[in-house]
């Protein structure tokens, strides 16, 4: 099969586990994110996301086909919609398109970006995260406070625990994989909770020892994470204590450092 590449042309597109609208939302593509098409089945295309290698099925009508050259360019230059409420584009037909933080602006130049030579006017100042500052990372995480939990979500209007962590780090120039267990394989281990610095990432497992949850440490006693919504909870060596439930909700497994 000839290599086929595409780019997400809508604000957010569901990546499904199976080629069906009834299938679960395994993850999401944000506007401007690049993909490689691995299989085509009527309207459903099986794709691999360039940013994190995650695979799933997407309605091909939510993609714009691009050349290999444009796909490779995505690995070189990244401009993103920043952590703010209003990120608007004007599409080639003159319609406004609102983006969630962390969306890509391919081929950005002088307030314009392009999807396969189709021009979009950018009505905000994009972010080019070439460096990471801990204060900025924590500020980015705090922007998502109260965003509702959504399985497979990666946007301000619905996000899961690993999507939250991934997007916060993406906005700060660090690429993490999609699922919590995959992210736990990255970074450098922090041996003791007392050694935690802001921006360290804590992982939590279930009774079978499988990592099922992740969050960002604000200090060695507080964590910001997505559970029902993005919120801040107390944390100790045992895990996260849920004040609303009055008990521990997540058992600590390991802490990693990515900065």
């Amino acid at each position: 099969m000839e290599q086929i590449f595409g780019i997400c042309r809508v604000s957010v597109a569901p990546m499904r586990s199976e080629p069906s609208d009834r299938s679960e939302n395994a993850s999401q593509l944000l506007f401007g994110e690049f993909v490689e098409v691995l299989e085509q089945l009527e309207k459903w295309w099986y794709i691999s996301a360039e940013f994190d290698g995650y695979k799933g099925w997407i309605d091909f009508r939510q993609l714009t086909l691009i050349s290999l050259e444009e796909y490779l360019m995505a690995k070189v230059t990244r401009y993103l919609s920043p952590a703010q409420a209003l990120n608007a584009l004007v599409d080639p037909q003159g319609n406004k398109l609102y983006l969630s933080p962390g969306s890509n602006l391919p081929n950005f130049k002088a307030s314009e970006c392009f999807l396969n030579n189709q021009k979009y006017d950018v009505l905000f100042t994009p972010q080019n995260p070439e460096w990471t500052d801990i204060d900025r990372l924590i500020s980015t995480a705090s922007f998502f406070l109260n965003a509702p939990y959504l399985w497979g979500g990666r946007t301000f209007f619905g996000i899961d625990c690993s999507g939250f962590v991934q997007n916060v780090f993406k906005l700060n120039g660090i690429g993490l994989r999609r699922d919590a267990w995959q992210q736990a394989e990255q970074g450098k281990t922090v041996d003791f909770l007392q050694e935690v610095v802001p921006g360290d990432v804590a992982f939590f497992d279930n009774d079978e020892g499988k990592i099922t949850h992740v969050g960002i440490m604000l200090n060695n006693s507080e964590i910001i994470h997505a559970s029902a919504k993005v919120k801040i909870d107390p944390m100790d060596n045992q895990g996260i204590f849920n004040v609303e439930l009055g008990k521990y909700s997540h058992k600590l497994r390991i802490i990693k450092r990515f900065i």
Side-chain angles (χ1 to χ4, degrees), residues 88-98 119-121 123:
L89 302 177
V90 178
D91 72 13
Q93 289 73 44
N95 303 308
K96 274 193 175 180
L97 190 66
Y98 294 94
K119 180 173 72 72
Y120 290 71
D121 295 317
L123 305 184

Side-chain angles (χ1 to χ4, degrees), residues 67-123:
S67 66
L68 173 61
E69 289 74 20
E70 190 171 0
Y71 177 79
L72 294 175
M73 190 180 300
K75 301 176 182 294
V76 179
T77 304
R78 292 192 189 276
Y79 285 89
L80 307 177
S81 55
Q84 63 183 29
L86 186 59
N87 296 310
L89 302 177
V90 178
D91 72 13
Q93 289 73 44
N95 303 308
K96 274 193 175 180
L97 190 66
Y98 294 94
L99 308 185
S100 189
S103 302
N104 287 1
L105 299 174
N107 302 309
F108 175 81
K109 185 177 181 181
S111 300
E112 297 173 344
C113 68
F114 296 84
L115 276 64
N116 194 20
N117 297 320
Q118 299 180 39
K119 180 173 72 72
Y120 290 71
D121 295 317
V122 180
L123 305 184

Side-chain angles (χ1 to χ4, degrees), residues 53-67:
Y54 210 75
K55 295 179 176 63
W57 293 90
I58 186 171
D59 186 328
F60 82 91
R61 294 170 294 181
Q62 295 177 319
L63 298 175
T64 292
L65 293 180
I66 57 172
S67 66

Side-chain angles (χ1 to χ4, degrees), residues 13 26 58 63 99 118 126 136 161 199 210 223 228 234 259:
I58 186 171
L63 298 175
L99 308 185
Q118 299 180 39
R136 192 180 73 177
C161 64
K210 180 181 178 180
I223 188 169
I259 300 176

